[in-house]
Coordinates of all heavy atoms in Angstrom, one line a residue:
M1 N -4.7 12.0 0.1 CA -5.7 12.2 -0.9 C -6.2 10.9 -1.5 O -5.5 9.9 -1.4 CB -5.0 13.0 -2.1 CG -4.7 14.4 -1.7 SD -4.4 15.3 -3.2 CE -3.4 16.7 -2.5
E2 N -7.3 10.9 -2.0 CA -8.0 9.7 -2.5 C -7.9 9.6 -4.0 O -8.5 8.7 -4.6 CB -9.5 9.7 -2.1 CG -9.7 9.8 -0.6 CD -11.2 10.0 -0.3 OE1 -12.0 9.1 -0.7 OE2 -11.5 11.0 0.3
T3 N -7.2 10.5 -4.7 CA -7.2 10.4 -6.2 C -6.3 9.4 -6.7 O -5.4 8.9 -6.0 CB -6.8 11.8 -6.7 OG1 -5.4 12.0 -6.4 CG2 -7.7 12.9 -6.2
D4 N -6.6 9.1 -8.0 CA -5.7 8.0 -8.6 C -4.3 8.5 -8.7 O -3.4 7.6 -8.7 CB -6.3 7.7 -10.0 CG -6.5 8.9 -10.9 OD1 -6.2 10.1 -10.5 OD2 -7.1 8.8 -12.0
L5 N -4.0 9.8 -8.7 CA -2.6 10.2 -8.7 C -1.9 9.9 -7.4 O -0.7 9.8 -7.3 CB -2.5 11.7 -8.9 CG -2.9 12.2 -10.3 CD1 -2.8 13.7 -10.4 CD2 -2.0 11.6 -11.4
A6 N -2.7 9.7 -6.3 CA -2.1 9.4 -5.0 C -2.4 8.0 -4.6 O -2.3 7.6 -3.4 CB -2.6 10.4 -4.0
G7 N -2.7 7.1 -5.6 CA -2.9 5.7 -5.2 C -4.4 5.4 -4.9 O -4.7 4.3 -4.5
G8 N -5.3 6.4 -4.9 CA -6.7 6.2 -4.6 C -7.5 5.8 -5.8 O -6.9 5.5 -6.9
I9 N -8.8 5.9 -5.7 CA -9.6 5.5 -6.8 C -10.4 6.7 -7.5 O -11.0 6.5 -8.5 CB -10.6 4.4 -6.4 CG1 -11.5 4.9 -5.3 CG2 -9.9 3.1 -6.0 CD1 -12.7 4.0 -4.9
V10 N -10.4 7.8 -6.9 CA -11.2 9.0 -7.4 C -10.4 9.5 -8.6 O -9.2 9.9 -8.5 CB -11.4 10.0 -6.3 CG1 -12.2 11.2 -6.9 CG2 -12.1 9.5 -5.1
P11 N -11.0 9.6 -9.8 CA -10.3 10.2 -11.0 C -9.9 11.6 -10.7 O -10.7 12.5 -10.5 CB -11.4 10.1 -12.1 CG -12.3 9.0 -11.6 CD -12.4 9.2 -10.1
S12 N -8.6 11.8 -10.7 CA -8.1 13.2 -10.4 C -8.5 14.2 -11.4 O -8.7 15.4 -11.1 CB -6.5 13.2 -10.4 OG -6.0 12.7 -11.6
A13 N -8.8 13.8 -12.6 CA -9.3 14.7 -13.7 C -10.7 15.3 -13.3 O -11.0 16.3 -13.9 CB -9.4 14.0 -15.0
L14 N -11.4 14.7 -12.4 CA -12.7 15.2 -11.9 C -12.6 16.0 -10.7 O -13.6 16.4 -10.1 CB -13.6 14.0 -11.7 CG -13.9 13.2 -13.0 CD1 -14.8 12.0 -12.6 CD2 -14.5 14.0 -14.1
T15 N -11.4 16.3 -10.2 CA -11.2 17.0 -9.0 C -10.4 18.3 -9.3 O -9.9 18.5 -10.3 CB -10.4 16.2 -7.9 OG1 -9.0 16.0 -8.4 CG2 -11.0 14.9 -7.7
E16 N -10.4 19.2 -8.3 CA -9.6 20.4 -8.3 C -9.0 20.7 -7.0 O -9.6 20.2 -6.0 CB -10.5 21.6 -8.8 CG -11.7 21.9 -7.9 CD -12.6 22.9 -8.4 OE1 -12.5 23.3 -9.6 OE2 -13.6 23.3 -7.7
N17 N -7.9 21.3 -6.9 CA -7.2 21.6 -5.7 C -8.0 22.5 -4.8 O -8.3 23.6 -5.2 CB -5.8 22.1 -5.9 CG -4.9 21.0 -6.5 OD1 -5.1 19.8 -6.3 ND2 -3.9 21.4 -7.3
L18 N -8.2 22.1 -3.6 CA -8.8 23.0 -2.6 C -7.7 23.8 -1.8 O -7.9 25.0 -1.6 CB -9.7 22.2 -1.7 CG -10.5 22.9 -0.6 CD1 -11.5 23.9 -1.3 CD2 -11.3 21.9 0.2
D19 N -6.7 23.1 -1.5 CA -5.5 23.7 -0.8 C -4.4 22.7 -1.1 O -4.6 21.7 -1.8 CB -5.8 23.9 0.7 CG -6.1 22.7 1.5 OD1 -5.5 21.6 1.2 OD2 -6.9 22.8 2.5
P20 N -3.2 22.9 -0.6 CA -2.1 22.0 -0.9 C -2.3 20.5 -0.5 O -1.6 19.6 -1.0 CB -0.9 22.6 -0.1 CG -1.2 24.0 0.0 CD -2.7 24.1 0.2
H21 N -3.2 20.3 0.4 CA -3.4 18.9 0.9 C -4.8 18.3 0.5 O -5.0 17.1 0.8 CB -3.3 18.9 2.4 CG -1.9 19.4 2.9 ND1 -0.8 18.8 2.7 CD2 -1.6 20.6 3.4 CE1 0.2 19.5 3.1 NE2 -0.3 20.6 3.6
R22 N -5.7 19.1 0.0 CA -7.0 18.6 -0.2 C -7.5 18.9 -1.6 O -7.1 19.9 -2.2 CB -8.0 19.2 0.8 CG -7.7 18.7 2.2 CD -8.7 19.3 3.2 NE -8.6 20.8 3.1 CZ -9.5 21.6 3.7 NH1 -10.6 21.1 4.3 NH2 -9.4 22.9 3.6
V23 N -8.4 18.1 -2.1 CA -9.1 18.4 -3.4 C -10.6 18.3 -3.1 O -11.1 17.8 -2.1 CB -8.7 17.4 -4.5 CG1 -7.2 17.4 -4.8 CG2 -9.1 16.0 -4.1
N24 N -11.3 18.9 -4.1 CA -12.8 18.7 -4.1 C -13.2 18.3 -5.5 O -12.5 18.5 -6.4 CB -13.5 20.0 -3.6 CG -13.2 21.2 -4.4 OD1 -12.3 21.9 -4.0 ND2 -13.9 21.4 -5.5
M25 N -14.4 17.8 -5.6 CA -14.9 17.5 -6.9 C -15.2 18.8 -7.7 O -15.6 19.8 -7.1 CB -16.2 16.7 -6.7 CG -16.1 15.3 -6.0 SD -14.8 14.3 -6.7 CE -15.6 13.9 -8.3
H26 N -14.8 18.7 -9.0 CA -15.1 19.9 -9.8 C -16.5 20.3 -9.7 O -17.4 19.5 -9.8 CB -14.8 19.5 -11.3 CG -13.5 19.9 -11.8 ND1 -13.1 21.2 -11.9 CD2 -12.5 19.1 -12.2 CE1 -11.8 21.2 -12.3 NE2 -11.4 20.0 -12.6
G27 N -16.7 21.6 -9.5 CA -18.1 22.1 -9.5 C -18.7 22.2 -8.1 O -19.8 22.8 -8.0
T28 N -18.1 21.7 -7.1 CA -18.7 21.7 -5.8 C -18.3 22.8 -4.9 O -18.9 23.1 -3.9 CB -18.4 20.4 -5.0 OG1 -17.0 20.2 -4.8 CG2 -19.0 19.2 -5.8
N29 N -17.3 23.6 -5.3 CA -16.8 24.7 -4.5 C -17.1 26.0 -5.1 O -16.3 26.8 -5.3 CB -15.3 24.5 -4.2 CG -14.8 25.5 -3.2 OD1 -15.5 25.8 -2.3 ND2 -13.5 25.9 -3.3
T30 N -18.4 26.1 -5.5 CA -18.8 27.4 -6.2 C -20.1 27.9 -5.5 O -20.7 27.2 -4.7 CB -19.2 27.1 -7.7 OG1 -20.3 26.2 -7.7 CG2 -18.0 26.4 -8.4
Y31 N -20.5 29.1 -5.9 CA -21.7 29.7 -5.3 C -22.9 28.9 -5.6 O -23.8 28.7 -4.7 CB -21.8 31.1 -5.8 CG -23.1 31.8 -5.3 CD1 -23.1 32.2 -3.9 CD2 -24.2 32.0 -6.1 CE1 -24.2 32.8 -3.4 CE2 -25.3 32.7 -5.5 CZ -25.3 33.0 -4.2 OH -26.5 33.6 -3.7
E32 N -23.0 28.4 -6.8 CA -24.1 27.5 -7.2 C -23.5 26.1 -7.4 O -23.3 25.7 -8.6 CB -24.8 28.0 -8.5 CG -25.5 29.3 -8.3 CD -26.8 29.2 -7.5 OE1 -27.4 28.1 -7.5 OE2 -27.2 30.2 -7.0
P33 N -23.2 25.3 -6.4 CA -22.5 24.1 -6.6 C -23.3 23.0 -7.4 O -24.5 22.9 -7.2 CB -22.2 23.6 -5.2 CG -23.2 24.3 -4.3 CD -23.5 25.6 -5.0
R34 N -22.6 22.4 -8.3 CA -23.1 21.2 -9.0 C -21.9 20.4 -9.4 O -21.1 20.8 -10.2 CB -23.9 21.6 -10.2 CG -24.4 20.3 -10.9 CD -25.1 20.6 -12.2 NE -25.3 19.3 -12.9 CZ -26.4 18.7 -13.1 NH1 -27.5 19.2 -12.6 NH2 -26.4 17.5 -13.7
C35 N -21.8 19.3 -8.8 CA -20.6 18.4 -9.1 C -20.7 18.0 -10.6 O -21.7 17.7 -11.1 CB -20.7 17.1 -8.3 SG -19.4 16.0 -8.5
K36 N -19.6 18.1 -11.2 CA -19.5 17.8 -12.7 C -19.7 16.3 -12.9 O -20.0 15.9 -14.1 CB -18.2 18.3 -13.3 CG -18.1 19.8 -13.3 CD -17.3 20.3 -14.4 CE -17.5 21.8 -14.4 NZ -16.6 22.5 -15.2
S37 N -19.7 15.5 -11.9 CA -19.9 14.1 -12.0 C -21.4 13.7 -11.9 O -21.8 12.6 -12.0 CB -19.1 13.3 -11.0 OG -17.7 13.5 -11.2
L38 N -22.2 14.7 -11.5 CA -23.6 14.5 -11.4 C -24.2 14.4 -12.8 O -24.1 15.3 -13.6 CB -24.3 15.6 -10.6 CG -25.8 15.4 -10.3 CD1 -26.0 14.2 -9.5 CD2 -26.3 16.7 -9.7
V39 N -25.0 13.4 -13.1 CA -25.6 13.1 -14.4 C -27.1 13.3 -14.3 O -27.7 12.8 -13.3 CB -25.2 11.7 -14.9 CG1 -25.9 11.4 -16.2 CG2 -23.7 11.5 -15.0
G40 N -27.7 14.0 -15.2 CA -29.1 14.1 -15.3 C -29.6 15.5 -14.8 O -28.9 16.4 -14.6
E41 N -30.9 15.5 -14.5 CA -31.6 16.8 -14.1 C -32.0 16.7 -12.7 O -32.8 15.8 -12.3 CB -32.8 17.0 -15.0 CG -33.4 18.4 -14.8 CD -34.5 18.7 -15.8 OE1 -34.7 17.9 -16.8 OE2 -35.3 19.6 -15.5
V42 N -31.5 17.6 -11.8 CA -31.9 17.6 -10.4 C -33.4 17.8 -10.3 O -34.0 18.6 -10.9 CB -31.1 18.7 -9.6 CG1 -31.6 18.8 -8.2 CG2 -29.6 18.4 -9.7
G43 N -34.0 16.9 -9.5 CA -35.4 17.0 -9.2 C -36.2 16.1 -10.2 O -37.4 15.9 -10.0
K44 N -35.6 15.6 -11.2 CA -36.3 14.7 -12.2 C -35.7 13.4 -12.1 O -36.2 12.4 -11.6 CB -36.2 15.3 -13.6 CG -36.8 16.7 -13.7 CD -38.0 16.7 -14.6 CE -38.4 18.1 -14.8 NZ -39.8 18.4 -14.4
A45 N -34.5 13.3 -12.6 CA -33.7 12.0 -12.6 C -32.2 12.3 -12.6 O -31.8 12.8 -13.7 CB -34.1 11.1 -13.7
A46 N -31.6 12.2 -11.5 CA -30.1 12.5 -11.5 C -29.4 11.4 -10.7 O -30.0 10.7 -9.8 CB -29.9 13.8 -10.8
H47 N -28.2 11.1 -11.0 CA -27.4 10.2 -10.3 C -25.9 10.5 -10.4 O -25.5 11.2 -11.3 CB -27.7 8.7 -10.8 CG -27.2 8.5 -12.2 ND1 -27.9 8.9 -13.3 CD2 -26.0 8.0 -12.7 CE1 -27.2 8.6 -14.4 NE2 -26.1 8.1 -14.1
C48 N -25.1 9.9 -9.5 CA -23.7 10.1 -9.6 C -23.1 9.3 -10.7 O -23.4 8.1 -10.8 CB -23.1 9.6 -8.2 SG -21.3 9.7 -8.2
G49 N -22.4 10.0 -11.6 CA -21.8 9.3 -12.7 C -20.5 8.5 -12.4 O -20.0 7.8 -13.3
I50 N -20.0 8.6 -11.2 CA -18.8 7.9 -10.8 C -19.1 7.2 -9.5 O -18.2 7.1 -8.6 CB -17.6 8.8 -10.7 CG1 -17.8 9.9 -9.7 CG2 -17.3 9.4 -12.1 CD1 -16.5 10.6 -9.2
Y51 N -20.3 6.7 -9.3 CA -20.7 6.1 -8.0 C -19.7 5.2 -7.4 O -19.4 5.2 -6.2 CB -22.1 5.5 -8.1 CG -22.7 5.1 -6.8 CD1 -23.3 6.0 -6.0 CD2 -22.7 3.8 -6.4 CE1 -23.9 5.7 -4.8 CE2 -23.2 3.4 -5.2 CZ -23.9 4.4 -4.4 OH -24.4 4.0 -3.2
E52 N -19.2 4.3 -8.2 CA -18.3 3.2 -7.6 C -16.9 3.8 -7.2 O -16.3 3.2 -6.3 CB -18.0 2.1 -8.7 CG -19.3 1.4 -9.1 CD -20.0 0.7 -7.9 OE1 -19.3 0.2 -7.0 OE2 -21.2 0.7 -7.9
V53 N -16.6 5.0 -7.7 CA -15.3 5.5 -7.3 C -15.4 6.9 -6.7 O -14.5 7.7 -6.7 CB -14.3 5.6 -8.5 CG1 -13.9 4.2 -9.0 CG2 -14.9 6.4 -9.7
R54 N -16.6 7.2 -6.2 CA -16.8 8.5 -5.5 C -16.0 8.6 -4.3 O -15.6 7.6 -3.7 CB -18.3 8.7 -5.2 CG -18.8 7.8 -4.1 CD -20.4 7.8 -4.2 NE -21.0 7.1 -3.1 CZ -21.0 5.8 -2.9 NH1 -20.4 5.0 -3.8 NH2 -21.5 5.2 -1.8
P55 N -15.7 9.9 -3.9 CA -14.8 10.1 -2.7 C -15.5 9.9 -1.4 O -16.7 9.8 -1.3 CB -14.3 11.6 -2.9 CG -15.4 12.2 -3.6 CD -16.0 11.2 -4.6
S56 N -14.7 9.8 -0.3 CA -15.2 9.5 1.0 C -16.3 10.4 1.5 O -17.3 10.0 2.1 CB -14.1 9.4 2.0 OG -13.4 10.6 2.1
P57 N -16.3 11.8 1.3 CA -17.4 12.6 1.7 C -18.7 12.2 1.1 O -19.8 12.3 1.7 CB -17.0 14.0 1.3 CG -15.5 14.0 1.2 CD -15.2 12.6 0.7
C58 N -18.7 11.7 -0.1 CA -19.9 11.3 -0.8 C -20.4 9.9 -0.2 O -21.6 9.7 -0.1 CB -19.7 11.1 -2.3 SG -19.0 12.6 -3.0
H59 N -19.4 9.1 0.3 CA -19.8 7.9 1.0 C -20.5 8.2 2.3 O -21.4 7.6 2.7 CB -18.6 7.0 1.2 CG -18.1 6.2 0.1 ND1 -18.5 4.9 -0.2 CD2 -17.3 6.6 -0.9 CE1 -17.9 4.5 -1.3 NE2 -17.1 5.5 -1.8
D60 N -19.9 9.3 2.9 CA -20.4 9.6 4.3 C -21.8 10.2 4.3 O -22.5 10.1 5.3 CB -19.4 10.6 4.9 CG -18.1 10.0 5.2 OD1 -18.0 8.7 5.2 OD2 -17.1 10.7 5.4
L61 N -22.2 10.9 3.2 CA -23.5 11.6 3.2 C -24.6 10.5 3.1 O -24.6 9.7 2.1 CB -23.6 12.5 2.0 CG -24.9 13.3 2.0 CD1 -24.6 14.8 2.3 CD2 -25.7 13.1 0.8
Q62 N -25.5 10.5 4.0 CA -26.6 9.6 4.0 C -27.8 10.2 3.3 O -28.3 11.2 3.8 CB -26.9 9.2 5.5 CG -25.9 8.5 6.2 CD -25.4 7.2 5.6 OE1 -26.3 6.4 5.2 NE2 -24.1 7.0 5.5
P63 N -28.3 9.6 2.3 CA -29.5 10.1 1.7 C -30.6 10.0 2.7 O -30.7 9.0 3.4 CB -29.7 9.1 0.5 CG -28.4 8.4 0.3 CD -27.7 8.4 1.6
A64 N -31.5 10.9 2.6 CA -32.7 10.9 3.5 C -33.4 9.6 3.4 O -33.7 9.2 2.3 CB -33.6 12.1 3.3
W65 N -33.7 8.9 4.5 CA -34.6 7.8 4.6 C -34.0 6.5 4.1 O -34.6 5.4 4.3 CB -36.0 8.0 4.1 CG -36.6 9.2 4.7 CD1 -36.8 10.4 4.1 CD2 -36.9 9.4 6.0 NE1 -37.3 11.3 5.0 CE2 -37.4 10.7 6.2 CE3 -36.9 8.6 7.2 CZ2 -37.8 11.2 7.4 CZ3 -37.3 9.1 8.4 CH2 -37.7 10.4 8.5
E66 N -32.9 6.5 3.4 CA -32.3 5.3 2.9 C -32.0 4.3 4.0 O -32.2 3.1 3.8 CB -30.9 5.6 2.2 CG -30.2 4.4 1.7 CD -30.3 4.3 0.2 OE1 -30.5 5.3 -0.5 OE2 -30.1 3.1 -0.3
Y67 N -31.7 4.8 5.2 CA -31.4 3.9 6.3 C -32.4 4.2 7.5 O -32.1 4.1 8.6 CB -30.0 4.0 6.8 CG -29.0 3.7 5.6 CD1 -28.3 4.6 4.9 CD2 -28.9 2.3 5.2 CE1 -27.5 4.3 3.9 CE2 -28.1 2.0 4.2 CZ -27.4 3.0 3.5 OH -26.6 2.7 2.5
G68 N -33.6 4.8 7.1 CA -34.6 5.0 8.0 C -34.6 6.3 8.8 O -35.3 6.5 9.8
E69 N -33.7 7.2 8.4 CA -33.5 8.5 9.2 C -33.5 9.6 8.2 O -33.1 9.5 7.0 CB -32.2 8.5 10.0 CG -32.2 7.4 11.1 CD -30.9 7.5 11.8 OE1 -30.0 8.3 11.6 OE2 -30.7 6.6 12.7
P70 N -34.0 10.8 8.7 CA -33.8 12.0 7.8 C -32.4 12.4 7.6 O -31.5 11.9 8.4 CB -34.6 13.1 8.6 CG -34.6 12.6 10.0 CD -34.5 11.1 10.0
S71 N -32.1 13.3 6.7 CA -30.7 13.7 6.5 C -30.7 15.2 6.3 O -31.2 15.8 5.3 CB -30.2 13.1 5.2 OG -29.0 13.7 4.8
P72 N -30.3 16.0 7.3 CA -30.2 17.4 7.3 C -29.4 17.9 6.0 O -29.9 18.9 5.4 CB -29.5 17.8 8.6 CG -29.8 16.7 9.5 CD -29.8 15.5 8.7
Q73 N -28.4 17.3 5.7 CA -27.6 17.7 4.5 C -28.4 17.5 3.2 O -28.4 18.3 2.3 CB -26.3 16.9 4.4 CG -25.1 17.6 5.1 CD -23.8 16.8 4.8 OE1 -23.7 15.7 5.3 NE2 -22.9 17.4 4.1
C74 N -29.1 16.4 3.1 CA -29.9 16.1 2.0 C -31.0 17.1 1.9 O -31.3 17.7 0.8 CB -30.5 14.7 2.1 SG -31.3 14.0 0.7
D75 N -31.7 17.4 3.1 CA -32.7 18.4 3.1 C -32.2 19.8 2.6 O -32.9 20.5 1.8 CB -33.3 18.6 4.5 CG -34.1 17.4 5.0 OD1 -34.4 16.5 4.2 OD2 -34.4 17.3 6.2
K76 N -31.0 20.2 3.1 CA -30.5 21.4 2.7 C -30.2 21.5 1.2 O -30.6 22.5 0.5 CB -29.1 21.6 3.4 CG -28.5 22.9 3.3 CD -27.2 23.0 4.2 CE -26.3 24.1 3.8 NZ -25.1 24.1 4.4
A77 N -29.7 20.5 0.6 CA -29.5 20.4 -0.8 C -30.8 20.5 -1.6 O -30.9 21.2 -2.6 CB -28.7 19.2 -1.2
R78 N -31.8 19.8 -1.1 CA -33.1 19.8 -1.8 C -33.7 21.2 -1.8 O -34.2 21.7 -2.8 CB -34.1 18.8 -1.2 CG -33.7 17.3 -1.5 CD -34.6 16.4 -0.8 NE -36.0 16.5 -1.2 CZ -36.6 16.0 -2.3 NH1 -35.9 15.2 -3.0 NH2 -37.9 16.2 -2.5
I79 N -33.7 21.8 -0.6 CA -34.2 23.2 -0.5 C -33.5 24.1 -1.4 O -34.1 25.0 -2.1 CB -34.1 23.6 1.0 CG1 -35.1 22.8 1.8 CG2 -34.4 25.1 1.1 CD1 -35.0 23.0 3.3
K80 N -32.2 24.0 -1.5 CA -31.4 24.9 -2.4 C -31.8 24.7 -3.9 O -31.7 25.7 -4.7 CB -29.9 24.6 -2.3 CG -29.0 25.5 -3.0 CD -27.7 25.7 -2.4 CE -26.8 26.6 -3.2 NZ -27.1 28.0 -3.1
H81 N -32.3 23.6 -4.2 CA -32.8 23.3 -5.6 C -34.3 23.5 -5.7 O -34.9 23.0 -6.7 CB -32.3 21.9 -6.1 CG -30.9 21.9 -6.3 ND1 -30.3 22.3 -7.5 CD2 -29.8 21.5 -5.6 CE1 -29.0 22.2 -7.5 NE2 -28.7 21.6 -6.3
G82 N -34.9 24.1 -4.7 CA -36.3 24.4 -4.9 C -37.3 23.3 -4.5 O -38.5 23.3 -4.9
M83 N -36.7 22.2 -3.9 CA -37.6 21.1 -3.6 C -37.8 21.1 -2.1 O -37.1 21.6 -1.3 CB -36.9 19.8 -4.0 CG -36.7 19.7 -5.5 SD -35.9 18.1 -5.9 CE -34.2 18.6 -5.6
Q84 N -38.9 20.4 -1.7 CA -39.2 20.2 -0.2 C -38.2 19.1 0.3 O -37.8 18.2 -0.4 CB -40.6 19.7 0.0 CG -41.7 20.6 -0.5 CD -43.0 19.9 -0.4 OE1 -43.2 18.7 -0.1 NE2 -44.1 20.7 -0.5
P85 N -38.0 19.2 1.6 CA -37.2 18.1 2.3 C -38.0 16.8 2.1 O -39.2 16.8 2.1 CB -37.2 18.5 3.7 CG -37.3 20.0 3.7 CD -38.2 20.3 2.6
L86 N -37.3 15.8 1.9 CA -37.9 14.5 1.6 C -38.4 13.9 2.9 O -37.7 13.8 3.9 CB -36.8 13.5 1.1 CG -37.3 12.2 0.4 CD1 -38.1 12.6 -0.9 CD2 -36.1 11.4 0.0
T87 N -39.7 13.6 2.9 CA -40.3 13.0 4.1 C -40.4 11.5 3.9 O -40.3 11.0 2.8 CB -41.8 13.5 4.4 OG1 -42.6 13.1 3.3 CG2 -41.7 15.1 4.5
L88 N -40.7 10.8 5.0 CA -40.8 9.3 4.9 C -42.0 9.0 4.0 O -41.9 8.0 3.2 CB -41.0 8.7 6.3 CG -41.0 7.2 6.4 CD1 -39.7 6.6 5.7 CD2 -41.1 6.7 7.8
D89 N -43.1 9.8 4.1 CA -44.3 9.5 3.2 C -43.9 9.7 1.7 O -44.5 9.0 0.9 CB -45.4 10.5 3.6 CG -46.0 10.2 4.9 OD1 -45.8 9.0 5.4 OD2 -46.7 11.0 5.4
M90 N -43.0 10.6 1.4 CA -42.5 10.8 0.0 C -41.6 9.6 -0.4 O -41.6 9.2 -1.5 CB -41.9 12.1 -0.2 CG -42.8 13.3 0.1 SD -41.8 14.8 0.4 CE -41.2 15.2 -1.2
W91 N -40.8 9.2 0.5 CA -39.7 8.2 0.2 C -40.3 6.8 -0.1 O -39.9 6.2 -1.0 CB -38.8 8.1 1.4 CG -37.8 7.0 1.4 CD1 -37.8 5.9 2.1 CD2 -36.6 6.9 0.6 NE1 -36.8 5.1 1.8 CE2 -36.0 5.7 0.8 CE3 -36.0 7.8 -0.4 CZ2 -34.8 5.3 0.2 CZ3 -34.9 7.3 -1.0 CH2 -34.3 6.1 -0.7
E92 N -41.2 6.4 0.7 CA -41.7 5.0 0.6 C -42.3 4.7 -0.8 O -41.9 3.7 -1.4 CB -42.7 4.7 1.7 CG -42.0 4.6 3.0 CD -42.9 4.4 4.2 OE1 -44.1 4.8 4.1 OE2 -42.5 3.8 5.2
P93 N -43.1 5.6 -1.4 CA -43.6 5.2 -2.7 C -42.5 5.2 -3.8 O -42.5 4.4 -4.7 CB -44.6 6.4 -3.1 CG -45.0 6.9 -1.7 CD -43.8 6.7 -0.8
L94 N -41.4 6.0 -3.6 CA -40.3 6.0 -4.5 C -39.6 4.6 -4.5 O -39.1 4.2 -5.5 CB -39.3 7.1 -4.1 CG -39.7 8.5 -4.2 CD1 -38.7 9.5 -3.6 CD2 -40.0 8.9 -5.7
Q95 N -39.6 3.9 -3.4 CA -39.0 2.6 -3.3 C -39.8 1.5 -4.0 O -39.2 0.4 -4.3 CB -38.7 2.2 -1.8 CG -37.8 3.2 -1.2 CD -36.6 3.6 -2.0 OE1 -35.8 2.7 -2.3 NE2 -36.5 4.8 -2.4
R96 N -41.0 1.7 -4.3 CA -41.9 0.7 -4.9 C -41.8 0.8 -6.4 O -42.5 0.0 -7.1 CB -43.3 0.9 -4.4 CG -43.5 0.4 -3.0 CD -44.9 0.4 -2.5 NE -45.0 1.1 -1.2 CZ -45.7 2.1 -1.0 NH1 -46.5 2.6 -1.8 NH2 -45.7 2.6 0.2
R97 N -41.2 1.8 -7.0 CA -41.1 1.9 -8.4 C -40.3 0.8 -9.1 O -39.4 0.3 -8.6 CB -40.5 3.3 -8.8 CG -41.4 4.4 -8.6 CD -40.7 5.7 -9.1 NE -41.6 6.8 -8.8 CZ -41.2 8.1 -9.0 NH1 -40.0 8.3 -9.5 NH2 -42.0 9.1 -8.7
Ligands
LIG101 S1 -21.9 11.5 -5.1 FE1 -21.0 11.7 -7.2 S2 -22.2 13.4 -8.1 FE2 -22.5 13.6 -5.9 S3 -20.9 15.0 -5.2 FE3 -20.1 12.9 -5.0 S4 -19.0 12.5 -6.9 FE4 -20.3 14.2 -7.2

């Protein structure tokens, strides 16, 4: 485990037990998932409130176009929240802000 209780850095207070060996972030294992560490309004301005100590699955998820490639997981999440998948044409102007 990656939580502070097991010597890791992820705050255990922000996790819940998934099974005897694994935890997940509070709010992510529900029908309408929303991590309780997510700050802001999805689709407007949102960010991870524990970015520096986020768990490994969050490190593994590549945001679309951040490294020049699309992200199927990112697209899936955007569609679930009523947004279009991020295209490169949408991404580039966001980087100039
Ligand atoms: S990146 Fe942050 S807000 Fe997103 S799921 Fe991971 S811990 Fe939660």
Side-chain angles (χ1 to χ4, degrees):
M1 290 195 203
E2 301 174 60
T3 66
D4 50 7
L5 290 178
I9 60 171
V10 179
S12 57
L14 300 175
T15 67
E16 58 192 7
N17 291 332
L18 184 59
D19 62 34
H21 305 288
R22 297 180 299 165
V23 298
N24 58 265
M25 297 305 294
H26 263 296
T28 60
N29 191 28
T30 64
Y31 179 70
E32 293 286 338
R34 181 187 166 106
C35 180
K36 292 207 170 167
S37 298
L38 183 65
V39 177
E41 188 177 346
V42 174
K44 302 248 187 237
H47 66 275
C48 177
I50 60 163
Y51 189 78
E52 298 302 324
V53 294
R54 68 197 189 285
S56 57
C58 305
H59 283 266
D60 293 344
L61 185 115
Q62 298 298 316
W65 306 111
E66 177 105 22
Y67 302 103
E69 296 179 4
S71 168
Q73 268 185 292
C74 190
D75 291 349
K76 187 176 164 189
R78 287 178 61 87
I79 290 167
K80 185 151 178 77
H81 286 279
M83 296 179 280
Q84 298 176 348
L86 199 63
T87 65
L88 186 56
D89 287 344
M90 296 160 73
W91 169 256
E92 287 175 336
L94 293 173
Q95 298 313 298
R96 288 187 226 123
R97 287 185 181 172

